[in-house]
Amino acid sequence: MPLKIKHTITFFFLLTGSLYLHAQDSTLVGKSLRWDLAKCIDYAKKNNIQINSLRLSQQTSQQEYLLAKAARLPDLSATGSQTFAHGNNFSNGDNGRHSGYNISGSYGVSSNVTLYNGSYINNNIQQKNLQVQSANLGILQQENDIVLQITQAYLTVLLDKETIIYNTDLLSTTQAQVKLEQQRYNVGSVARKDLIQLQAQQATDQYTLVNSKNAVRNDLLNLKQLLVLPTDLSFDIMQPDTVIAPIDSISSFREAEQTALQNRPEVKNGELGVKIAQFDVEKARAGYKPTLTAGASLNTGYANGQGVSFGNQINNNFYQQLGLTLAIPIFTKRVVKTQVEEAKISVKQSQLDLKNTKITLSQTVERAYINVQNARSQFDAAAEEYKYSKESYRIASEQLKVGVANTVDFLLQKNLFVQAQQSFVQAKYNALLTLKIYDFYRGVPITL
């Protein structure tokens, strides 16, 4: 895998699409920070918007699970009504008209509980519990994604900073050579074109160094935005003492593949998806079975004009009711059958999704394994090229210093050295990155 980290970071940055200013941590505003990779990863896990959104979804799943468990309990409700009526009435006794009013009220308490509904409640509880577990795995999966993004962005900045060191050294060497060549030109021992060629090379080295510094600023900005840090925060990374390309042997692909298939959250989530879909089938089949519910109620009431006191009426009208209701589905116009068949289709779809997840993961791990091998071979070749190009450049520099080499040959050798140096640095970080990604799929935490 070539180390086109900058393009990768830009791609991931566009994917996130939710780096809003209002989501930034206000406690960091105006501060200056220097973080290592572990701190960057820890902060991203706590503050990434996608991860926090999934945490809210997990809380919703937890509430739905509690609601499903509560379906086993009886409900309880109280009702009460109070009526005041006024009207004009005719009296047969005196053939006159008089107005009057009437007051009445009714009060009651009722409760219902489901005794049997084809195990729908039990299946629903188990399904909701699996959905909570699935939500937790979704969080882990998103955390894994952000870890890889942060690692790639962090190594990009390290690569830029090391490139600055090399380019600064090159510029310093060229400046010393120009100074020496100027002295020779002043005494007439070299032609003006030789001096100008070295001065042009100095300008080129200066331009390259400026580009390297600009790359650090841009890539630090990418990392800062990936972390969703405040815009007015001064941010930089802590460089490790040394960054060494890995030379240890890597584990076999089969071992890494089996470890990933057994432990990666996306696979576990896919397996839960099959189980969740299977519970939908059982819940749908409950529509074929009868439902038995128990109900109880207490009711009383009163009305004025009865010649009986309020308390006596409440007592006299008090009655209790206890009953069972059995509902047996006989003909549902294919509603239940359709629900069952659709649930079975969902099971097959979730099984296909799981299979696709496993295939994709296996292919990703295999690609990571090949990338490690390729990157290591490239690093070995680049290190060998850099070793001899560096020595050739040293010899050419000494020859130019004593005047036994012409400027054209020296600049040609220097360009070869610069190319070898760039390839070496690139290959070193590429080898480190590919190994970290491969080990990550094996369950090894990323550290520097």
Side-chain angles (χ1 to χ4, degrees), residues 135-149:
N136 290 329
L137 291 172
I139 295 174
L140 292 177
Q141 185 175 346
Q142 185 63 35
E143 287 181 349
N144 286 343
D145 292 341
I146 196 64
V147 165
L148 290 179
Q149 295 176 42

Side-chain angles (χ1 to χ4, degrees), residues 85-89 98-102:
H86 178 272
N88 296 322
N89 301 302
H98 71 278
S99 63
Y101 66 90
N102 181 61

Side-chain angles (χ1 to χ4, degrees), residues 172-439:
S172 298
T173 302
T174 304
Q175 288 172 339
Q177 292 167 342
V178 169
K179 183 178 179 181
L180 179 61
E181 198 75 357
Q182 181 70 53
Q183 293 173 351
R184 291 174 176 172
Y185 173 73
N186 292 339
V187 298
S189 61
V190 296
R192 178 172 174 77
K193 69 178 182 63
D194 295 327
L195 174 61
I196 291 178
Q197 285 175 336
L198 284 179
Q199 289 174 334
Q201 183 61 49
Q202 178 180 328
T204 300
D205 292 345
Q206 179 68 46
Y207 178 79
T208 302
L209 179 59
V210 169
N211 284 341
S212 300
K213 293 179 179 180
N214 291 340
V216 169
R217 283 191 287 267
N218 289 331
D219 292 328
L220 270 176
L221 177 61
N222 285 337
L223 178 57
K224 178 181 175 181
Q225 292 179 335
L226 193 60
L227 290 168
V228 201
L229 292 172
T231 55
D232 61 348
L233 173 72
S234 177
F235 175 74
D236 200 353
I237 66 171
M238 295 178 61
Q239 295 179 252
D241 295 335
T242 57
V243 177
I244 303 175
I247 58 176
D248 298 334
S249 60
I250 60 175
S251 61
S252 67
F253 161 66
R254 292 302 177 189
E255 177 186 345
E257 180 189 36
Q258 290 304 313
T259 300
L261 291 175
Q262 293 172 6
N263 297 285
R264 292 285 294 186
E266 54 264 43
V267 176
K268 294 182 178 180
N269 212 351
E271 293 171 346
L272 285 182
V274 175
K275 295 179 181 179
I276 290 172
Q278 289 171 341
F279 275 114
D280 278 330
V281 176
E282 298 303 318
K283 288 166 61 177
R285 284 173 175 166
Y288 289 126
K289 302 175 182 179
T291 301
L292 180 63
T293 58
S297 63
L298 304 174
N299 294 277
T300 187
Y302 88 100
N304 70 330
Q306 303 295 320
V308 183
S309 67
F310 174 82
N312 288 334
Q313 283 194 58
I314 292 294
N315 181 61
N316 293 337
N317 294 333
F318 179 66
Y319 66 95
Q320 308 85 42
Q321 182 179 359
L322 180 64
L324 296 173
T325 301
L326 179 65
I328 302 175
I330 298 175
F331 180 66
T332 61
K333 296 184 290 187
R334 210 182 186 279
V335 171
V336 176
K337 182 175 178 59
T338 299
Q339 293 172 342
V340 171
E341 293 304 317
E342 288 178 345
K344 289 180 179 179
I345 294 173
S346 296
V347 171
K348 294 179 180 179
Q349 182 61 58
S350 61
Q351 291 171 339
L352 284 177
D353 293 340
L354 174 60
K355 182 178 180 180
N356 182 65
T357 298
K358 289 182 176 180
I359 292 175
T360 301
L361 180 59
S362 294
Q363 292 174 342
T364 302
V365 175
E366 184 177 14
R367 174 56 57 190
Y369 178 72
I370 297 300
N371 288 341
V372 172
Q373 292 181 315
N374 293 343
R376 181 160 297 181
S377 299
Q378 289 174 350
F379 173 73
D380 292 339
E384 192 77 4
E385 179 188 21
Y386 176 65
K387 174 183 175 181
Y388 291 110
S389 295
K390 184 177 182 180
E391 180 63 16
S392 297
Y393 173 62
R394 186 192 66 80
I395 294 174
S397 298
E398 293 296 328
Q399 291 176 338
L400 181 68
K401 185 182 300 184
V402 297
V404 298
N406 63 62
T407 306
V408 174
D409 292 339
F410 166 75
L411 292 179
L412 175 61
Q413 189 59 53
K414 181 176 181 178
N415 289 333
L416 292 175
F417 168 69
V418 170
Q419 294 173 8
Q421 180 177 270
Q422 292 173 344
S423 298
F424 171 73
V425 178
Q426 191 91 352
K428 180 173 70 170
Y429 281 91
N430 188 32
L432 180 62
L433 175 62
T434 55
L435 181 63
K436 291 299 180 181
I437 293 176
Y438 181 65
D439 285 344

Side-chain angles (χ1 to χ4, degrees), residues 70-89:
R72 288 172 171 168
L73 304 175
D75 62 8
L76 179 65
S77 61
T79 59
S81 65
Q82 191 73 32
T83 303
F84 298 87
H86 178 272
N88 296 322
N89 301 302

